[in-house]
Amino acid sequence: MTIAFKRLIFAFMFASAIMLMTACASIGKIENQPLAHIPDKPHGYSLEKHAQGYERGETELVLAFSGGGTRAAALSYGVLKELRDTTIHRRGQNQRMLDEVDRISSVSGGSFTAAYYGLFGDQIFEDYEQVFLKKNVQADLKDLVLSITGFIGRAIKATSRTEEAVKYYDDHIFHGKTFADLEKSKGPLILINASDLNSRSQFVFVQPQFDALCSDLSTFKVARAVAASSAVPILFDPILLQSNSDCHVSKSAWLKEAEERARRSDDKRLEEYVESMNYYVEHP
């Protein structure tokens, strides 16, 4: 057996071992904490609870930030800047249009901007370009998830590509903030959207959705939600959530109302969303 052939065999065995270890480590972490009891009144980070403590203006303004990587994040950031610089005259005073924003719904790249603004408010205009937009995040992630050193590192640390991305977002962008911090910020309600691969439907990171999983959204990290919203299939593993069965969840009033509205209308998206929520309730 030649030396070259021996080296080839060794390289193959080494690569196989690494792939095996990586496969064992590809299952992500489950970070949603169980909720022992669901109160009858609105609670947690939700539309109903947010409306109780948020000072709404006379104009209801809802923004939708789409996906598309850094370009989508930059576009949504530009929208916020324009709204900041646009004033309206009301009751003898000039007011920023930005202060009239009640909710922001986002997905993928738009979720970075929405979540950052929801957490840090006007600070976004001071440091977001350096923290995210002008920083080559994609290159950093490429080094983490696609390089040989990253591949070996994940095998040694028993972690996945997605967990590496979550840690990066948490360390460099969102600084450990959770949805409890988002609730305390008193800004517009941020609706971070993802896809539920199990039910093939929309998943929104709000407490009513987590109620169906008997889970507490307040302890869930914003970086993990944004990772779920922006994860590219195949390249990143899905974010995992566990459905707990200890809180005896039942259909809430808003879900019953949505169910009835879906019956009366021809809104397919609402119908699909109701079906997915019912799935959580009926299959704890």
Side-chain angles (χ1 to χ4, degrees), residues 114-130:
Y116 200 89
Y117 178 65
L119 286 168
F120 305 113
D122 279 7
Q123 182 182 322
I124 193 172
F125 304 118
E126 300 172 8
D127 59 14
Y128 187 60
E129 292 185 35
Q130 287 69 41

Side-chain angles (χ1 to χ4, degrees), residues 43-45 49 178-187 218:
H43 68 109
Y45 197 66
K49 182 71 180 299
T178 66
F179 277 85
D181 297 304
L182 202 53
E183 186 175 0
K184 293 174 186 175
S185 68
K186 302 302 180 182
S218 68

Side-chain angles (χ1 to χ4, degrees), residues 84-95:
R84 177 199 63 181
D85 298 337
T86 302
T87 59
I88 54 176
H89 192 72
R90 180 174 291 163
R91 297 177 182 175
Q93 294 182 336
N94 288 328
Q95 297 178 343

Side-chain angles (χ1 to χ4, degrees), residues 62-243:
V62 179
L63 305 180
F65 292 165
S66 64
T70 305
R71 285 177 295 183
L75 175 62
S76 54
Y77 175 66
V79 169
L80 293 179
K81 289 184 70 175
E82 283 300 313
L83 290 174
R84 177 199 63 181
D85 298 337
T86 302
T87 59
I88 54 176
H89 192 72
R90 180 174 291 163
R91 297 177 182 175
Q93 294 182 336
N94 288 328
Q95 297 178 343
R96 304 187 310 173
M97 279 295 293
L98 183 60
D99 296 328
E100 297 292 319
V101 176
D102 297 290
R103 295 184 296 280
I104 302 177
S105 180
S106 66
V107 69
S108 194
S111 291
F112 286 91
T113 306
Y116 200 89
Y117 178 65
L119 286 168
F120 305 113
D122 279 7
Q123 182 182 322
I124 193 172
F125 304 118
E126 300 172 8
D127 59 14
Y128 187 60
E129 292 185 35
Q130 287 69 41
V131 169
F132 185 73
L133 293 181
K134 293 182 179 179
K135 188 174 184 179
N136 200 340
V137 174
Q138 292 178 338
D140 289 346
L141 288 179
K142 183 179 178 181
D143 289 339
L144 281 173
V145 305
L146 296 179
S147 67
I148 295 297
T149 54
F151 185 75
I152 296 174
R154 285 193 301 277
I156 294 173
K157 293 184 291 185
T159 189
S160 67
R161 294 186 296 270
T162 296
E163 291 304 322
E164 291 278 9
V166 170
K167 187 177 186 307
Y168 181 91
Y169 301 154
D170 197 43
D171 290 345
H172 298 281
I173 303 173
F174 300 111
H175 308 295
K177 298 295 185 181
T178 66
F179 277 85
D181 297 304
L182 202 53
E183 186 175 0
K184 293 174 186 175
S185 68
K186 302 302 180 182
L189 184 72
I190 307 299
L191 303 171
I192 299 175
N193 294 274
S195 297
D196 183 344
L197 298 182
N198 188 46
S199 62
R200 291 178 294 179
S201 62
Q202 179 185 9
F203 188 96
V204 188
F205 284 88
V206 287
Q207 186 56 54
Q209 187 105 41
F210 266 53
D211 282 348
L213 301 175
C214 288
S215 294
D216 182 9
L217 179 63
S218 68
T219 61
F220 201 78
K221 287 195 172 183
V222 173
R224 188 167 290 274
V226 172
S229 180
S230 60
V232 179
I234 301 177
L235 182 59
F236 291 105
D237 309 298
I239 292 289
L240 300 181
L241 297 175
Q242 179 171 295
S243 180

